[in-house]
Amino acid sequence: MLTGKVMSFEGPVGPIRRRRDNAHVIVCGNEKGGSGKTTTSMHITVALLKAGFRVATIDLDTRQKSLTRYVQNRRNFSQTHDVDLELPSHFRFDMAKDDSQREAQSEDFASFVRAVSDVEDSHDFVVVDTPGSDNYLMRLSHSMADTLVTPMNDSFVDFDVLGRVDGETLEIIDVSHYAMMVREARRQRRMADNGLLDWIVVRNRLASIGSRDQQHLHACVKELSLRLGFRVADGISERVVYREYFPKGLTALDEVKDLGLTERASRSHRSARLEIRNLIKMLRLPVDDAGRQRADARKKWLQRATAPVEMPDIFV
């Protein structure tokens, strides 16, 4: 059993506790639906599984259950076609049926506690897919994240969940609700265990031809990244092949011979695979010695940042 400093977060039925030296938690979060959270979550999961890590997935979207269906589709395809596909340990949530809102929240919270407790010591990574709405479980999962991945379609409509811009000058005039929620989650995480939440905004559905509007959007994302302290990565393009993956439970990282795709789709598949591999590199997960060294360096930096400044004797 792993040991380490315990961290806790408050919930409707008391604190949830986890150790610092346990599974690395990756949360895919965005309050706007259709941004590619589930597709991103599944590709990160499969990439880690193919690298030999033990991965658990948690689907917090009690209504859509998109990640749950994705995993089930993958299991069905594997059994039907006798193909050996990597599968995570998966946990899903059903909507609580209690009349009382507080009792329903307590039931959901208890289920979340059980899911985290079941996997924290037995897996290397936990990937959490969140709903496209703000609720207490979404905020809790963000507070527990070691890496937060926020997929965002490349448009000002999606940028609005991060920051608001002036309609005439396109200058950022305010920080939006989701960004404020992440800022609070970072604060809670630091209070709990002095941990650092690494936040990456992933720009999805990038167009092949850049427009002036895209240039303005890129400038806004870059400026807001400096204000809020997140990194920016290019993610999934607008490719038909990604929509073909879901019903089969497949990903761009699976072998082409197992996909049963046309030659045209196979070419798109190879391009999609390159996109995903580049995205995984940009996330800088602790999957190798270099990644673990970066994680250790971030922890040491935080410890030094909170330590009192040593002043020379002349100031005493």
Side-chain angles (χ1 to χ4, degrees):
M1 180 178 294
L2 298 176
T3 58
K5 182 178 179 180
V6 172
M7 53 189 283
S8 63
F9 301 93
E10 291 296 328
V13 293
I16 177 174
R17 303 168 72 82
R18 53 180 291 241
R19 298 180 180 85
R20 290 186 62 181
D21 299 329
N22 56 6
H24 187 93
V25 178
I26 305 168
V27 173
C28 287
N30 187 338
E31 289 183 11
K32 189 179 184 303
S35 60
K37 293 191 297 293
T38 298
T39 301
T40 303
S41 298
M42 192 64 175
H43 278 79
I44 292 174
T45 297
V46 172
L48 293 171
L49 287 170
K50 287 184 177 295
F53 293 100
R54 300 164 297 175
V55 184
T57 49
I58 299 178
D59 189 354
L60 290 183
D61 193 341
T62 59
R63 185 177 297 275
Q64 297 293 336
K65 299 184 177 70
S66 297
L67 183 60
T68 298
R69 294 204 307 276
Y70 209 147
V71 173
Q72 186 60 53
N73 292 343
R74 187 174 181 83
R75 183 178 292 107
N76 293 341
F77 187 90
S78 176
Q79 295 172 353
T80 302
H81 296 273
D82 194 24
V83 178
D84 187 17
L85 295 175
E86 300 84 356
L87 288 165
S89 302
H90 184 69
F91 296 82
R92 67 177 176 85
F93 283 82
D94 294 318
M95 295 183 66
K97 303 184 184 304
D98 295 275
D99 294 333
S100 168
Q101 182 180 4
R102 179 170 180 79
E103 290 179 359
Q105 290 181 352
S106 298
E107 182 180 337
D108 287 341
F109 181 83
S111 299
F112 186 71
V113 170
R114 287 194 298 269
V116 173
S117 300
D118 286 345
V119 301
E120 63 176 354
D121 289 331
S122 58
H123 292 74
D124 303 304
F125 291 89
V126 179
V127 180
V128 182
D129 190 24
T130 62
S133 60
D134 182 13
N135 59 39
Y136 68 99
L137 276 182
M138 183 180 182
R139 293 191 295 271
L140 176 63
S141 65
H142 279 59
S143 299
M144 296 182 66
D146 299 301
T147 298
L148 172 61
V149 180
T150 300
M152 182 196 79
N153 292 331
D154 209 40
S155 71
F156 276 107
V157 175
D158 279 50
F159 181 79
D160 192 63
V161 301
L162 298 177
R164 296 188 177 92
V165 298
D166 183 272
E168 298 295 331
T169 64
L170 295 182
E171 294 181 352
I172 298 176
I173 57 177
D174 198 5
V175 175
S176 295
H177 48 283
Y178 179 74
M180 293 174 63
M181 188 268 284
V182 175
R183 179 183 291 171
E184 176 62 18
R186 277 179 154 172
R187 186 188 69 83
Q188 292 182 10
R189 177 63 193 273
R190 187 160 182 175
M191 289 175 57
D193 75 333
N194 202 31
L196 179 64
L197 190 162
D198 188 18
W199 186 14
I200 306 97
V201 172
V202 177
R203 297 174 62 194
N204 283 339
R205 295 187 171 91
L206 295 168
S208 57
I209 301 177
S211 62
R212 179 174 296 182
D213 188 65
Q214 284 182 306
Q215 295 174 1
H216 288 310
L217 177 62
H218 177 74
C220 289
V221 172
K222 184 176 181 180
E223 179 183 346
L224 196 61
S225 70
L226 297 176
R227 289 193 193 183
L228 298 177
F230 60 76
R231 296 186 287 113
V232 183
D234 291 343
I236 298 171
S237 299
E238 185 63 63
R239 300 183 189 276
V240 176
V241 70
Y242 283 110
R243 293 193 288 272
E244 295 180 352
Y245 291 147
F246 178 80
K248 298 179 180 180
L250 299 174
T251 70
L253 300 173
D254 294 310
E255 294 298 327
V256 176
K257 62 183 178 61
D258 297 330
L259 301 180
L261 300 174
T262 64
E263 179 59 29
R264 180 180 178 183
S266 296
R267 291 195 297 269
S268 181
H269 172 79
R270 288 191 287 271
S271 299
R273 173 178 288 191
L274 181 60
E275 286 179 351
I276 296 301
R277 286 177 172 171
N278 289 335
L279 172 60
I280 297 301
K281 289 180 182 178
M282 287 297 296
L283 296 184
R284 301 176 187 173
L285 299 173
V287 296
D288 52 21
D289 290 339
R292 285 185 282 272
Q293 289 174 3
R294 284 193 296 267
D296 292 340
R298 285 198 300 267
K299 291 181 181 178
K300 292 178 181 178
W301 177 83
L302 265 176
Q303 292 171 357
R304 290 197 300 268
T306 56
V309 178
E310 295 184 2
M311 304 296 291
D313 292 342
I314 189 172
F315 292 106
V316 176

